[in-house]
Amino acid sequence: MKKLLRIKLDSKTYLYEDCPAHYMNLGGRGLTSKIISHEVSPKADPLGEENKLVIAPGILAGTVAPNNGRISIGAKSPLTGTIKEANAGGAVAQKLARLGIAALIIEGKSKELSAIKIDKRGVHFTDAGILKGMGNYALIERLKGEHGDNTGIIGIGPAGEMMLRAANITVTTPDFKIRAAARGGLGAVMGSKNLKAIIVDDTEAQGVKVANPEMLKEAASELSKGILSHPLIEGLKVFGTPILVMMINTANALPTRNYSMGQFADAEKISGEYMVEVMSRRPNSHQTHRCMSGCIIGCSNIYTDEKGNETVSGLEYETLGLVGSNCMIGNLDDVALINRLCNDLGLDTMDVGAAIACAMEAGILPWGDGKGAYALIESIKDDSEKGKMIGNGCFYTGKALGLARIPHVKGQSLAAYDPRVLKGTGVTYATSPMGADHTCGNALPSPANPDYNPAAPTGQKEISGFLQRYFAAIDSLGFCLFASLPLLDIPELQRHLIACAASITGQPLDENYLIALGGEVIKTERGFNTKAGFTSKDDRLPDFFTKEALPGTDTVFDVKEEEIDTTLNF
Ligand code: SF4
C-alpha cells in the first residue's frame, strides 16, 4: 500500500503513514489539493510555518502508461493567496511512486538551510549551508555528483531562498535538464521552509504494484497508438510547443506590447519554424527532447548557441510569448538567455516576462530591449530593489509602478493567449481556482470542433467548465497535457486512459471517470478559496480587456458576468 511520507523540518523527523481511504484513489493535483485543503488553514500565511508543501506523483506514475510521470506540487500560494498546484515533467514522480510514496507532506521550517534525501531506507537530513545562494545549474551538477545518476532532484534557486513571489521549483529530467513547477510562487514556500533541495533515489525500490498488469499493458498500447495517430503530434515532434507562435499570431492572440496587440511584427523571428532552422545549423542542438521516460512524443528541445554550448532545454511557447512578443523582444538568443537566467535563479519565465513588459510600459526599459531585460533580472543576484520587484512577478511589478494595465487574475499573470479573441481561455483565466492559468483549460480552436467559435461572447462557460474538469483529472493522473490533447478530439481514446487507471486498483471505472474526478478536485479547491475569502468578484479579468479592443479587431472580452459566475457550477 502506498504511504504518505510526512517530513517535519523543525525536528528533522519523519513518519510513514498509511494512506487514508479518502486519499487512496487520488494522485497528483487531486491529492495535493485534498491534503492542503484538509491540513492547511485557508487563512494561513503562505510563507509562514503553518503552510505545507505537498509533493505527489500522479495516479499512473511508475507504470508503463505512456507520457505519465508529471509531479504535482501544492501549497497555499504566496502569489495568489489561493490553493495552488503546479506540475512538471522530469524523473521525480516515477521515482517516488516506485518507492511506494503517494505524497510527501513537508511541514514546519528548518532552522538552517537544509536538504533531504529520500531513498529506500528512509529520509536523511543534511545541512545545506554550502549550497546557499547557488543557482540551479550548479546545484544540480553538485547534487548529481554527490548522489549519483539514479536520482531525481527537486530544488530552488536564489529566488526561492529570497522568497520572491514568482519563484518556481526546479525538477530534473532523467538526463538532468531543468523542468519547473513554475507557477504560483511555490519556490518561495520551499524557501520559507529553509529547504534548498530534495534528492530522490529509487535504487532497489519496490516498484509500483498493479492489480491487473495485462489490462494495463493492453490499454497503454492502445492509448499510445491512438495518441500517435493524431496529426497534432507530428507537428509537436518537429517544432515542439513553439509551433504555436505563428498559429496564435495568425489568430491575433499573441500577447504583444503588454497585451496591447495580438500580432507581433517579428513573430517569425521567434517562431518554431525559425527555431528549428537555427537549431539545424548549431552543434549539439536537438529539436526533440523527452522530459520524462516513457514519453512517446518528445515535444521539448535543446537550444544551443553558435558554438554548441547549451543555452536552455527546452525553449517553449509560453516563454517565447511572454518574454518574446509581449516584451517585443524578437531575438531567439535573447529570449533563450533570459530563459536560462530564470532557470538558474529559479523564476517562472511567464510571470517574469509579464513583469518585464509592465516595466517596459512604465518606461523603465525600452520595448524590445532583451539585453536590458536580462540585466534587470540578473540584478536580483545583487539584491537590487528593481530586480526583486521583477522577481515578485507581474502583479507586484505593475502595482509598484502604478500601472493601470496589469494582465493578471488573482495576482498571477495571464499566459500567452489573448482572452479577447480566445474567450473560453479568458473564462478559464477568470475562474480557475489557481489564478490565470492556461493549463487549467485552454480553449483553442480545433478542426475536430469546427462549430466552436473562440471569439463569440456566448458558449464559453460550457467549454471552459468542461476543460477545467478534464485537465484537473489529467493533472491528477500525472499524464502529460500534450499527450492528452488527442483524447479531446478522439474521445473514444479516453477509455484507454481510464482503463490504465482502473488496472492499478483492479476496480472498474466508468466512462465519466475523468470528468467526475476533475469536478471533485475543483470543488475541493474552490472550497478552500472561498474559506480564504475569495468571491466571484475575484473571478474577473482586468478591466482593460473589457474596454480596449485589439488592434485589427473590434473585439473586447465581453463574456457576461452571469456566464462567468456559473462556469464551475457542477
Ligand atoms: S510530450 Fe513534451 S511535455 Fe509531454 S512528456 Fe513528452 S517532452 Fe514532456
Side-chain angles (χ1 to χ4, degrees):
M1 183 201 272
K2 282 193 191 169
K3 303 275 186 189
L4 301 177
L5 175 51
R6 193 175 296 276
I7 298 172
K8 301 181 184 211
L9 292 171
D10 309 63
S11 56
K12 292 190 173 31
T13 55
Y14 66 95
L15 190 68
Y16 287 98
E17 298 171 4
D18 287 339
C19 211
H22 53 282
Y23 292 163
M24 274 306 270
N25 296 323
L26 290 174
R29 173 175 164 186
L31 188 52
T32 62
S33 289
K34 264 283 193 268
I35 295 173
I36 293 295
S37 95
H38 280 170
E39 298 199 9
V40 175
S41 162
K43 301 283 186 194
D45 171 2
L47 299 177
E49 287 188 37
E50 248 189 303
N51 202 3
K52 298 186 185 183
L53 195 65
V54 181
I55 302 178
I59 292 166
L60 299 174
T63 72
V64 298
N67 284 63
N68 91 79
R70 291 189 73 82
I71 188 83
S72 286
I73 305 185
K76 182 176 177 185
S77 162
L79 188 76
T80 61
T82 64
I83 198 165
K84 188 75 199 170
E85 182 264 2
N87 60 67
V92 170
Q94 294 174 351
K95 289 182 183 297
L96 285 174
R98 284 198 282 266
L99 285 163
I101 295 169
L104 303 177
I105 305 173
I106 299 171
E107 301 183 350
K109 177 181 179 179
S110 171
K111 284 193 188 67
E112 308 292 341
L113 193 66
S114 64
I116 51 184
K117 181 173 182 184
I118 300 166
D119 62 19
K120 196 184 148 201
R121 287 168 297 134
V123 180
H124 318 273
F125 296 84
T126 54
D127 184 87
I130 199 157
L131 307 177
K132 195 170 171 51
M134 192 176 276
N136 276 315
Y137 288 101
L139 177 72
I140 290 166
E141 246 346 270
R142 184 181 177 109
L143 294 178
K144 181 184 144 198
E146 280 175 10
H147 299 281
D149 285 354
N150 199 32
T151 51
I153 297 163
I154 300 173
I156 54 169
E161 289 180 53
M162 293 162 87
M163 292 183 268
L164 300 180
R165 292 177 183 83
N168 67 21
I169 295 182
T170 289
V171 180
T172 54
T173 64
D175 54 352
F176 293 90
K177 308 284 181 212
I178 288 178
R179 288 296 177 279
R183 310 229 68 199
L186 297 182
V189 177
M190 194 160 156
S192 74
K193 301 196 166 302
N194 256 335
L195 182 59
K196 179 74 174 171
I198 303 168
I199 302 108
V200 183
D201 184 341
D202 65 339
T203 304
E204 294 175 19
Q206 63 185 34
V208 173
K209 290 197 178 68
V210 175
N212 191 339
E214 273 313 305
M215 181 182 177
L216 175 61
K217 210 168 134 197
E218 198 184 319
S221 159
E222 291 301 317
L223 182 59
S224 300
K225 273 191 247 162
I227 292 167
L228 292 174
S229 72
H230 194 284
L232 166 79
I233 300 303
E234 223 23 67
L236 275 175
K237 278 181 170 178
V238 178
F239 301 108
T241 57
I243 195 176
L244 285 167
V245 172
M246 293 314 291
M247 287 164 62
I248 303 297
N249 192 57
T250 304
N252 214 332
L254 185 68
T256 302
R257 208 178 163 106
N258 194 25
Y259 292 86
S260 61
M261 299 185 285
Q263 290 187 320
F264 180 40
D266 284 336
E268 277 182 10
K269 293 185 189 164
I270 56 166
S271 67
E273 292 82 345
Y274 181 62
M275 195 168 134
V276 164
E277 193 193 312
V278 169
M279 289 196 297
S280 72
R281 293 195 299 266
R282 293 190 173 178
N284 307 324
S285 271
H286 293 278
Q287 70 189 53
T288 297
H289 179 260
R290 290 173 168 73
C291 78
M292 45 200 195
S293 61
C295 166
I296 57 171
I297 301 172
C299 79
S300 197
N301 54 58
I302 302 176
Y303 186 87
T304 60
D305 65 15
E306 284 171 354
K307 290 187 181 136
N309 299 312
E310 181 179 316
T311 308
V312 73
S313 171
L315 184 53
E316 306 288 352
Y317 170 72
E318 299 303 329
T319 306
L320 293 163
L322 272 306
V323 175
S325 56
N326 199 39
C327 298
M328 303 193 79
I329 300 173
N331 180 307
L332 267 184
D333 286 332
D334 283 354
V335 176
L337 282 168
I338 290 171
N339 194 156
R340 180 181 181 87
L341 178 61
C342 286
N343 281 1
D344 201 39
L345 290 167
L347 285 168
D348 172 18
T349 56
M350 294 170 66
D351 237 291
V352 165
I356 292 285
C358 286
M360 287 175 169
E361 183 153 312
I364 303 261
L365 284 173
W367 289 106
D369 183 2
K371 312 276 184 291
Y374 186 98
L376 182 53
I377 301 165
E378 196 179 30
S379 72
I380 290 172
K381 291 180 187 168
D382 303 326
D383 211 27
S384 94
E385 289 309 316
K386 275 192 191 150
K388 287 190 285 186
M389 171 185 79
I390 298 293
N392 275 316
C394 136
F395 178 62
Y396 184 95
T397 299
K399 282 277 175 214
L401 297 174
L403 286 191
R405 301 172 75 262
I406 309 175
H408 78 102
V409 176
K410 303 184 183 79
Q412 180 164 272
S413 78
L414 268 58
Y417 311 87
D418 196 297
R420 284 165 285 197
V421 285
L422 296 173
K423 290 178 184 160
T425 301
V427 172
T428 299
Y429 289 151
T431 58
S432 154
M434 305 284 160
D437 190 333
H438 67 296
T439 66
C440 288
N442 198 4
L444 296 178
S446 157
N449 188 7
D451 295 336
Y452 173 56
N453 177 2
T458 56
Q460 304 301 343
K461 77 167 192 175
E462 289 79 8
I463 191 152
S464 173
F466 167 77
L467 290 175
Q468 288 198 58
R469 281 176 284 170
Y470 177 77
F471 286 114
I474 294 300
D475 291 343
S476 301
L477 290 164
F479 193 49
C480 161
L481 180 146
F482 301 111
S484 82
L485 296 178
L487 281 62
L488 288 169
D489 287 348
I490 317 170
E492 52 276 21
L493 289 179
Q494 290 175 20
R495 74 189 156 90
H496 302 307
L497 182 62
I498 295 169
C500 287
S503 71
I504 294 171
T505 57
Q507 302 297 316
L509 296 169
D510 70 27
E511 60 185 5
N512 289 322
Y513 167 70
L514 295 175
I515 293 304
L517 170 63
E520 189 52 40
V521 173
I522 289 173
K523 230 183 258 176
T524 301
E525 293 167 347
R526 278 171 66 83
F528 181 96
N529 290 351
T530 302
K531 286 187 203 145
F534 287 86
T535 70
S536 58
K537 289 195 177 59
D538 299 295
D539 292 345
R540 298 289 178 262
L541 293 183
D543 262 6
F544 76 90
F545 287 111
T546 64
K547 293 187 177 135
E548 286 177 22
L550 272 172
T553 75
D554 56 359
T555 313
V556 295
F557 183 77
D558 52 1
V559 178
K560 292 207 163 37
E561 290 184 353
E562 306 87 89
E563 199 165 317
I564 294 172
D565 293 343
T566 49
T567 298
L568 298 181
N569 284 357
F570 37 73

